[in-house]
Amino acid sequence: MTSLGRATLLKAEFFNRDPRRVARALLGKSLVRKTARGILAGRIVETEAYLGKDDAAAHAATGKTARNAVLFGPPGYAYVYFIYGAHYCLNVSCLPDGVAGGVLFRALEPVEGIEQMAEARGLEVVKDSDLRKTSFLKKISSGPGRMSEALEVTRARDNGKNLVSARSDLRIVDDGYRVRRVTVTPRIGIVKSAEQPLRYFIAENLFVSGRRPAG
């Protein structure tokens, strides 16, 4: 369980560097959504780095457009896109203003507001024990589309939002959790530049999306 009461908000400087370093460093931090009904929070357990114009898989590869402008802006801002006509994906901008780069959030471990997140996902909580079952919790936020839905992320609501502002209802915090081991693999779910080892996750974490190699 995360200790949000003692958590500190990440600073823009944290994201003002190579997306590969940011993607690894984000593991163990928490994404927090403030709602009228309460706090929703999940620990970041899986990320992918996207390297800007030199990365064929990155949305910024074709240059700056109205759609991807956030990726070229200041570090620490939300970039949200819609995929497969069904799911939103949440990213955070990296590198200095004017230089494109970002990190995709792929999976969270639910830690607070779990029942509300399950409701947002359309999952029925039959009994309290469901909220403690790994198999049920994985359905809430294991995968970029699932976690975005659980945190009620949409492009209209969140694209361009400052994730390192205390005034933001969506932010990234550090509660002191320490990650012991990180596994690095090629990115998944893409075709271009799929071979690059830019996917990072907490080793042996049960909430990682997709196939989870040992170690």
Side-chain angles (χ1 to χ4, degrees):
M1 183 67 68
T2 190
S3 303
L4 294 178
R6 298 192 298 273
T8 58
L9 187 65
L10 295 187
K11 299 182 182 299
E13 290 77 12
F14 180 96
F15 300 95
N16 193 19
R17 50 183 172 162
D18 190 306
R20 288 167 290 197
R21 295 183 62 193
V22 176
R24 181 185 286 267
L26 277 171
L27 298 176
K29 307 299 188 291
S30 293
L31 261 170
V32 179
R33 165 76 85 185
K34 183 178 181 180
T35 77
R37 295 174 55 191
I39 296 294
L40 311 178
R43 191 175 305 286
I44 300 164
V45 300
E46 181 184 359
T47 58
E48 282 182 349
Y50 286 85
L51 309 180
K53 66 178 183 178
D54 296 323
D55 182 352
H59 284 194
T62 56
K64 186 176 181 179
T65 66
R67 179 173 177 263
N68 67 19
V70 174
L71 292 174
F72 290 82
Y77 283 74
Y79 170 58
V80 182
Y81 61 86
F82 199 49
I83 190 170
Y84 305 135
H87 305 294
Y88 290 101
C89 293
L90 175 64
N91 304 254
V92 61
S93 60
C94 302
L95 298 169
D97 191 2
V99 182
V103 171
L104 169 68
F105 298 98
R106 283 202 56 90
L108 302 177
E109 179 177 345
V111 294
E112 189 162 334
I114 298 175
E115 189 165 0
Q116 186 178 337
M117 286 194 284
E119 181 182 318
R121 285 273 300 116
L123 302 173
E124 182 181 4
V125 180
V126 178
K127 47 190 175 181
D128 289 345
S129 60
D130 289 340
L131 301 177
R132 297 186 294 274
K133 293 179 180 177
T134 299
S135 58
F136 182 82
L137 295 176
K138 283 196 69 170
K139 296 177 183 178
I140 294 177
S141 55
S142 180
R146 288 179 174 181
M147 56 149 283
S148 292
E149 190 171 46
L151 292 180
E152 303 173 9
V153 170
T154 67
R155 183 171 172 84
R157 180 181 186 180
D158 299 304
N159 190 58
K161 186 165 286 182
N162 188 347
L163 299 180
V164 294
S165 169
R167 295 185 297 274
S168 175
D169 67 336
L170 184 64
R171 63 192 77 168
I172 308 173
V173 302
D174 182 359
D175 72 335
Y177 182 89
R178 292 291 173 259
V179 175
R180 294 186 177 182
R181 288 192 299 129
V182 173
T183 297
V184 183
T185 75
R187 294 177 295 198
I188 60 177
I190 60 173
V191 177
K192 296 178 179 179
S193 300
E195 74 286 350
Q196 294 196 51
L198 298 175
R199 174 181 175 233
Y200 305 82
F201 60 84
I202 298 176
E204 300 181 355
N205 186 274
L206 298 177
F207 298 91
V208 169
S209 69
R211 298 184 63 182
R212 182 169 53 85

